[in-house]
């Protein structure tokens, strides 16, 4: 920012430039002190630090010196919110009261100088007429729905009141452009750099070739609506949990496109191959008729364009003479194929990635492409970034003990700049309920020690692993936030079946509930027999089958069994439903019929059974379900407004994030590595996922596993066992 003449006196000599460094600090006091130390090497610099109200505990640890001024007033700021503007005003006011400066340089508390501070001063002295950040030379193009743009404007759209999350790409792009301006790389000229996601860049190419516009993009909402319509017209398909089914099918459609699989030979994991093929082909017909493309088409169509039009490919090869790819371990086949075409013939390709963090195989990412890169570009130089700046030495050491068991990986010896830190703690607990109490107590203890709740995360493999903990946090009124949608266990079709049985057992007989459970298990009761007179449903059905004694016996048995349920506690009632009534057999037949994993369904059933243990009556259980569902819904509704409390998320969602304290829960065999992944030869990716989860922790990492689940003894994860090898 260039200083107006009303605010500062201009000096002619470089060594006389006075600079006020304005720092917005919110975490990582160690990095902040390193940054301060860099700045202090210039003796005409004064430093003004605002510490976020959420991080006041770090103030005593900040380096003290005569030229460092820590503001007494602290704002609870959110990125992209008007509170950030207030924070900047406080810093400017404090600096202005203290003295006059030639430049005011605004920074985050986690910035670092990539060149000596004197180089910065020299640059400022030579480019005084342009000011510090001269963004006027960049065209003011806004971000579109597709993502990337050709040149990013530093005038960010919708910045006020819009809370970009830490992983939002605009944050990284802004930081890169600030760095370029800071050191005069751009020199007041347009920088011919195209930046964006694969989808954004490839869509830009398609826009140029086919004149696509926003009206040609099939939104995710439209996509779900279209697939739902197609699925509902599949006569041979019976779906109990529509949302999960739609999500899985849409993911598989993306996998087929991204890996360029042949639909005739693709084996769906969610339904019969012929049914999936019908869904896929009908979806493609409908999409084309609407003259729209989805996000996966942006990749596929770009590949097809370059394959069929070498003249157009040559134009884009000349435009993109140098290509840099970040997060290369997450690339899929079609993305890689297009990149190879674009990079030719010069092959000026720079890829940054960590094969140990390749965890998105279910979305089509292929870690083996990193090894393919070496074969395709044998002359490429490999540069190893072997220093971990985030985690303590103990965390890094133990994480490496696990990941080194993978056979397909690049050899690397990772070091850390931090001290040993606290030892890794592995906790054995009896069951999920005891684990939830243990984690809740641990969280309370860390917060009492001065750690911000927002710097604490609990990670798990799948959402069902977190059910007991969520219930405990709600009961204990411990604030938490969720990055992802947390599926409500009690909204699953199995839970709805059980609730229908229990409502009838409590005397609340309705036609809808009766229809839902009358053939679960199979009793061969016709819908025509259920006339709708709720008080006499059993008698009406008996009258319908009056000539079939064996059906009368079956209906009598059903009525008697349901009456028995009403006399039991929920846990015992679920066991009776499973074993005596035959619900387990129904699930086995259902899984076979729909080509589903039996274990997935029984995991849900067992989790519902486990959750019912504390309750003595069916009515108490229903009350709990209602309270839990309301609390979960309210939490999700407020998730965009209130980013307070500890973080709950899956291990997949944690990638790219970091926290002071991390708890890994339910680290049992079958949970992590996930049993389905083992069946699909995904052991090494599961180990990479565990490694990623471990390395989210900066200072404290604690791992827990249960001894018993659903009445059965289970083993700790093999990854936990690997931690104890050689100990």
């Amino acid at each position: 920012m260039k200083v107006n003449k009303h605010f500062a006196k201009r000096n002619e000599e470089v060594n006389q430039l006075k600079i006020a460094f304005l720092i917005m600090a919110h975490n990582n006091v160690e990095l902040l002190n390193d940054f301060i130390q860099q700045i202090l090497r210039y003796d005409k610099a004064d430093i003004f630090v605002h510490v976020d109200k959420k991080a006041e505990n770090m103030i005593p640890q900040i380096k003290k010196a005569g030229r460092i001024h820590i503001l007494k007033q602290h704002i609870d700021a959110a990125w992209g919110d008007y509170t950030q503007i207030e924070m900047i005003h406080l810093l400017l006011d404090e600096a202005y009261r203290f003295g006059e400066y030639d430049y005011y340089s605004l920074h985050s508390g986690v910035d670092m100088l990539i060149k000596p501070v004197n180089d910065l001063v020299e640059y400022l002295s030579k480019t005084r007429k342009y000011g510090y950040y001269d963004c006027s030379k960049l065209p003011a193009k806004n971000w579109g729905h597709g993502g990337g743009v050709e040149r990013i404007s530093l005038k960010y759209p919708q910045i006020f009141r819009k809370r970009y999350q830490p992983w939002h790409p605009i944050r990284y792009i802004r930081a890169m452009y600030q760095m370029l301006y800071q050191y005069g790389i751009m020199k007041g000229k347009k920088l011919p750099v195209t930046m964006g996601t694969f989808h954004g860049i490839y869509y830009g190419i398609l826009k140029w070739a086919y004149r696509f516009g926003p009206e040609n993009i099939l939104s995710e909402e439209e996509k779900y609506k279209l697939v739902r319509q197609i699925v509902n017209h599949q006569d041979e398909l019976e779906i109990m949990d529509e949302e999960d089914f739609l999500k899985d099918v849409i993911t598989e459609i993306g996998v087929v496109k991204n890996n360029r699989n042949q639909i005739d030979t693709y084996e769906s994991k969610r339904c019969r191959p012929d049914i999936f093929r019908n869904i896929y082909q009908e979806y493609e017909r409908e999409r084309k008729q609407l003259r729209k493309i989805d996000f996966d088409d942006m990749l596929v169509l770009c590949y097809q364009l370059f394959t069929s039009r070498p003249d157009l490919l040559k134009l884009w090869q000349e435009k993109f003479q140098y290509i840099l790819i970040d997060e290369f371990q997450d690339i899929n086949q079609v993305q890689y194929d297009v990149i190879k075409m674009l990079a030719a013939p010069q092959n000026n390709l720079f890829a940054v990635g960590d094969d140990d963090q390749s965890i998105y195989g279910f979305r089509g990412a292929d870690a083996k492409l990193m090894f393919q890169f070496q074969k395709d570009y044998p002359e490429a130089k490999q540069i190893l970034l072997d220093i971990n700046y985030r985690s303590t030495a103990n965390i890094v050491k133990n994480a490496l003990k696990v990941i080194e068991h993978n056979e397909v990986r690049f050899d690397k010896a990772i070091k850390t700049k931090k001290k040993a830190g606290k030892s890794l703690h592995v906790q054995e607990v009896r069951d999920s309920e005891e684990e939830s109490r243990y984690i809740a107590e641990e969280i309370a203890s860390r917060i009492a020690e001065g750690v911000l709740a927002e710097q604490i995360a609990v990670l798990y493999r799948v959402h069902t692993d977190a059910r007991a903990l969520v219930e405990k946090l709600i009961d204990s009124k411990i604030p938490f936030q969720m990055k992802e949608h947390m599926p409500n266990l009690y909204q699953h079709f199995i839970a709805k079946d059980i609730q229908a049985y229990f409502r009838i057992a409590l005397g609340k007989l309705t036609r809808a509930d009766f229809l839902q459970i009358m053939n679960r298990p199979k009793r061969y009761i016709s819908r025509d027999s259920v006339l709708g007179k709720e008080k006499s449903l059993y008698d009406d059905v008996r009258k319908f089958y009056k000539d079939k004694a064996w059906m009368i016996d079956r209906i009598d048995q059903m009525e008697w069994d349901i009456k028995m349920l009403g006399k039991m506690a929920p846990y015992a009632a679920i066991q009776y439903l499973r074993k005596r009534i035959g619900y387990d057999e129904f699930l086995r037949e259902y899984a076979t019929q729909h080509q589903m994993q039996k274990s997935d369904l029984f995991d849900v059933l067992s989790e519902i059974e486990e959750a019912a243990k504390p309750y003595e009556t069916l009515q108490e259980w229903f009350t709990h379900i209602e309270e839990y569902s309301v609390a979960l819904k309210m939490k999700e509704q407020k998730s965009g407004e209130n980013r307070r409390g500890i973080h709950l998320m899956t291990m997949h969602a944690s990638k790219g994030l970091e926290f002071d304290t991390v708890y890994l829960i339910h680290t049992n065999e079958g949970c992590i590595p996930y049993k389905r992944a083992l069946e699909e030869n995904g052991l090494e990716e599961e180990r990479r996922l565990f490694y990623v989860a471990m390395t989210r922790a900066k200072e404290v990492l604690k791992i827990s596993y249960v001894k018993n689940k659903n009445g059965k003894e289970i083993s700790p994860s093999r990854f936990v066992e690997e931690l104890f090898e050689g100990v």
Side-chain angles (χ1 to χ4, degrees):
M1 165 175 102
K2 188 167 73 173
V3 178
N4 188 288
K5 62 182 180 180
H6 299 293
F7 292 94
K9 178 183 176 181
R10 294 189 177 277
N11 301 300
E12 296 299 328
E13 300 296 328
V14 174
N15 61 5
Q16 292 300 310
L17 281 181
K18 292 184 66 178
I19 305 174
F21 286 84
L22 315 179
I23 300 177
M24 303 175 290
H26 61 285
N27 63 12
N28 203 328
V29 68
E30 186 177 340
L31 190 59
L32 172 64
N33 283 330
D34 288 344
F35 185 38
I36 288 173
Q37 190 64 45
Q38 287 182 295
I39 296 170
L40 290 176
R41 290 169 184 162
Y42 180 62
D43 59 8
K44 296 294 182 181
D46 288 316
I47 301 170
F48 300 87
V49 182
H50 174 276
V51 179
D52 194 287
K53 194 174 183 64
K54 297 184 293 291
E56 290 177 334
N57 62 308
M58 67 186 283
I59 292 175
Q61 306 172 58
I62 298 175
K63 179 180 178 64
K64 303 298 189 298
R67 290 185 282 141
I68 301 172
H69 311 276
I70 301 174
L71 274 62
K72 293 181 180 180
Q73 186 175 349
H74 309 289
I75 289 176
D76 187 355
W79 196 94
D81 192 68
Y82 74 98
T83 51
Q84 194 172 26
I85 304 300
E86 293 181 342
M87 178 173 53
I88 295 170
H89 282 171
L90 284 178
L91 285 163
L92 286 169
D93 287 344
E94 183 70 15
Y96 185 64
R97 280 195 297 269
F98 190 79
E100 293 185 344
Y101 297 90
D102 296 283
Y103 286 91
Y104 296 80
S105 183
L106 182 64
H107 296 269
S108 165
V110 292
D111 283 353
M112 292 292 287
L113 293 174
I114 61 174
K115 288 188 178 182
V117 67
N118 287 331
D119 286 9
L120 169 62
V121 177
E122 183 178 357
Y123 164 69
L124 292 176
S125 68
K126 292 179 179 179
T127 57
R128 296 167 71 109
K129 67 178 181 177
Y130 299 116
Y132 192 8
Y133 296 133
D134 179 12
C135 62
S136 61
K137 299 294 183 180
L138 290 176
K141 293 185 180 180
N142 291 337
W143 280 65
H145 184 71
V149 296
E150 191 169 325
R151 298 182 181 92
I152 311 300
S153 170
L154 292 181
K155 300 173 183 177
Y156 306 105
Q158 304 177 25
I159 195 168
F160 299 105
R161 294 287 184 187
K162 183 168 177 65
R163 301 185 178 186
Y164 292 108
Q165 296 309 309
W167 52 88
H168 197 288
I170 198 171
R171 300 193 68 176
Y172 298 107
I173 291 171
R174 185 184 80 154
M176 182 174 292
Y177 266 93
Q178 286 179 336
M179 181 187 73
L180 295 173
Y181 270 106
Q182 185 169 342
Y183 296 107
I185 297 174
M186 299 181 73
K187 299 179 180 178
K189 300 178 181 179
K190 295 180 181 180
L191 188 66
V193 174
T194 300
M195 305 177 69
T197 63
F198 282 109
H199 290 88
I201 299 290
Y202 293 3
Y203 175 60
I205 294 171
L206 296 175
K207 281 175 61 179
W208 176 85
Y210 299 124
R211 300 294 186 264
F212 283 152
E215 68 278 3
N216 301 115
I217 303 296
L218 189 71
S219 70
E220 288 301 294
E221 183 180 351
E222 292 173 318
K223 188 176 186 176
Y224 268 84
K225 183 179 179 180
L226 180 57
V227 175
R228 181 180 282 109
Q229 290 173 349
I230 295 169
V231 167
N232 290 337
H233 284 89
Q234 302 298 312
D235 296 332
E236 299 182 45
L237 186 61
E238 182 185 1
I239 303 169
M240 298 300 183
D241 198 326
E242 186 182 61
E243 289 305 313
D244 280 350
F245 181 81
L246 290 175
K247 183 179 67 174
D248 291 344
V249 166
I250 287 172
T251 298
E252 288 199 304
I253 290 173
V255 170
V256 170
K257 291 185 177 185
N258 291 327
N259 291 332
R260 294 192 287 111
N261 297 123
Q262 295 297 316
I263 186 61
D264 293 336
T265 58
Y266 180 77
E267 294 286 333
S268 172
K269 300 179 180 66
R270 200 61 173 86
C271 57
R272 286 199 338 244
D274 60 316
I275 293 178
F276 177 78
R277 187 159 53 250
N278 290 339
I279 294 172
Y280 180 90
Q281 291 172 342
E282 183 62 24
Y283 168 75
E284 285 294 278
R285 278 194 296 271
E286 291 288 337
R287 178 188 61 74
K288 290 175 182 177
Q289 190 171 345
L290 293 169
R291 298 183 62 82
K292 292 195 173 190
I293 62 172
D294 61 27
F295 284 166
D296 298 313
D297 292 323
M298 295 177 187
L299 311 178
V300 176
L301 291 178
C302 197
Y303 173 81
Q304 293 173 352
L305 174 68
F306 286 159
T307 304
S308 60
R309 293 290 302 275
D311 56 326
L312 298 184
L313 172 61
K314 187 173 184 298
L315 290 175
W316 287 97
Q317 288 172 334
E318 292 172 354
K319 179 178 176 60
F320 298 142
Q321 297 183 30
Y322 299 87
I323 298 175
L324 185 153
I325 306 170
D326 197 13
E327 302 289 350
F328 188 70
Q329 75 277 353
D330 298 330
I331 201 169
N332 62 40
Q333 187 65 58
V334 70
Q335 290 170 343
Y336 185 60
D337 291 340
V338 175
I339 284 296
K340 283 199 300 180
M341 287 191 284
L342 281 172
Q346 295 96 336
N347 292 332
N348 293 326
L349 186 58
F350 186 79
V352 182
D354 181 3
D355 59 304
D356 289 336
Q357 297 192 54
S358 179
I359 60 174
Y360 295 127
F362 66 94
R363 292 198 315 219
D366 189 352
K368 292 191 281 302
L369 290 173
M370 292 195 69
F371 297 90
Q372 185 62 41
F373 183 92
Q374 287 188 315
K375 296 178 181 178
D376 294 336
Y377 304 99
E379 297 181 1
K381 183 180 179 181
Q382 186 181 94
I383 303 170
L384 178 63
L385 305 178
D386 59 352
I387 298 177
N388 181 311
Y389 292 92
R390 174 186 299 141
S391 307
T392 64
N394 274 325
I395 293 172
V396 172
K397 178 185 69 176
N398 283 289
L400 289 174
K401 281 182 72 174
V402 174
I403 197 63
E404 286 172 353
H405 282 78
N406 273 2
E407 296 180 1
V408 183
R409 65 185 291 267
F410 290 106
D411 290 330
K412 55 182 91 67
I414 305 298
K415 303 182 287 291
T416 179
K417 287 288 188 180
K418 286 191 170 183
K419 297 178 181 178
K422 294 186 178 182
S423 299
L424 173 66
H425 182 85
V426 179
Q427 182 71 37
E428 179 184 271
V429 293
R430 182 179 65 254
D431 53 25
S432 297
E433 300 303 319
E434 184 175 293
E435 183 179 54
S436 65
R437 288 194 297 272
Y438 162 71
I439 296 297
E441 291 169 1
E442 279 284 323
I443 291 169
S445 175
R446 289 296 289 164
I447 292 174
E449 292 171 5
V451 179
L452 293 174
E454 292 75 21
Q455 280 295 310
I456 300 173
V458 181
L459 310 182
Y460 37 85
R461 178 60 178 84
V462 293
H463 288 291
T464 51
D465 296 339
R467 189 272 314 165
L469 178 61
V470 171
E471 292 183 354
K472 182 64 178 178
L473 295 175
I474 291 173
D475 291 342
S476 305
K477 294 183 170 49
I478 296 175
F480 64 93
Q481 54 182 303
M482 301 174 294
K483 182 181 175 182
E484 309 150 284
H485 166 69
M486 174 78 74
N488 187 344
L489 177 70
Y490 302 113
Q491 291 297 316
H492 195 279
F493 83 85
I494 295 174
K496 290 181 178 180
D497 284 352
I498 295 171
Q499 291 173 62
Y501 265 107
F502 288 1
R503 280 193 294 269
I504 297 173
L506 290 172
K508 301 173 183 178
L509 180 59
T510 66
R511 186 174 186 270
D513 281 345
F514 191 87
L515 287 170
Q516 183 166 338
I517 58 95
M518 67 183 187
N519 285 314
R520 300 180 183 181
K522 198 70 175 176
R523 299 184 178 96
Y524 300 97
I525 301 174
S526 169
R527 291 181 67 91
D528 295 337
S529 68
V530 187
L531 300 176
K533 299 177 182 177
E534 296 178 344
K535 292 184 178 180
S536 60
L537 272 174
Y538 290 115
D539 291 337
D540 289 344
V541 176
R542 288 189 185 95
K543 288 177 183 178
F544 187 87
Y545 293 104
K546 61 184 179 181
D547 298 328
K548 297 179 179 177
W550 60 275
M551 282 297 296
I552 300 293
D553 290 343
R554 189 166 286 175
I555 295 160
D556 290 344
Q557 184 67 52
M558 175 185 177
E559 185 177 16
W560 189 86
D561 282 334
I562 291 177
K563 284 181 180 178
M564 290 295 295
L565 293 177
K567 301 175 182 179
M568 302 176 183
Y571 180 75
I574 293 173
Q575 288 189 315
Y576 187 91
L577 176 62
R578 296 182 64 175
K579 308 302 181 185
R580 180 66 180 85
I581 296 179
Y583 194 78
D584 278 8
E585 185 58 33
F586 159 71
L587 286 185
R588 291 190 190 94
E589 292 176 358
Y590 181 86
T592 301
Q593 183 182 353
H594 295 85
Q595 292 193 305
M596 296 176 63
Q597 295 286 333
K598 295 182 182 68
S599 58
D600 290 347
L601 295 178
F602 281 102
D603 281 349
V604 173
L605 178 55
S606 296
E607 190 63 34
I608 296 168
E609 186 179 44
E610 189 76 13
K613 277 185 177 180
Y615 306 98
E616 296 182 1
T617 68
L618 299 184
Q619 192 56 58
E620 283 183 13
W621 188 64
F622 274 115
T623 301
H624 162 72
I625 291 174
E626 179 64 23
E627 292 175 348
Y628 174 81
S629 299
V630 169
L632 198 62
K633 187 175 182 179
M634 289 179 62
K635 180 63 67 174
E636 289 211 346
Q637 288 174 343
K638 295 181 179 180
S639 62
E641 306 170 7
N642 184 15
R643 292 289 178 180
R644 298 292 180 84
I646 67 166
H647 295 263
L648 301 182
M649 65 184 75
T650 60
M651 295 178 179
H652 280 102
S654 72
K655 186 172 178 291
L657 305 179
E658 60 181 32
F659 306 93
D660 175 275
T661 304
V662 171
Y663 299 97
L664 307 186
I665 66 170
H666 249 59
T667 58
N668 287 87
E669 197 71 8
C671 297
I672 178 75
Y674 195 48
K675 55 186 175 297
R676 189 195 297 179
L678 291 178
E679 294 166 0
E680 298 170 1
N681 299 315
L683 175 61
E684 295 215 341
E685 179 159 324
E686 289 290 292
R687 187 177 280 110
R688 292 194 293 268
L689 180 59
F690 194 76
Y691 170 81
V692 167
M694 291 181 69
T695 52
R696 298 312 91 195
K698 295 192 290 186
E699 301 294 335
V700 175
L701 173 64
K702 295 193 176 185
I703 300 173
S704 60
Y705 63 88
V706 302
K707 290 177 63 179
N708 296 283
K709 189 169 184 176
N710 307 318
K712 299 179 181 178
E713 189 170 330
I714 57 174
S715 304
S717 167
R718 68 187 71 191
F719 305 149
V720 174
E721 300 286 1
E722 289 167 2
L723 288 169
F724 291 98
E725 291 179 1
V727 176

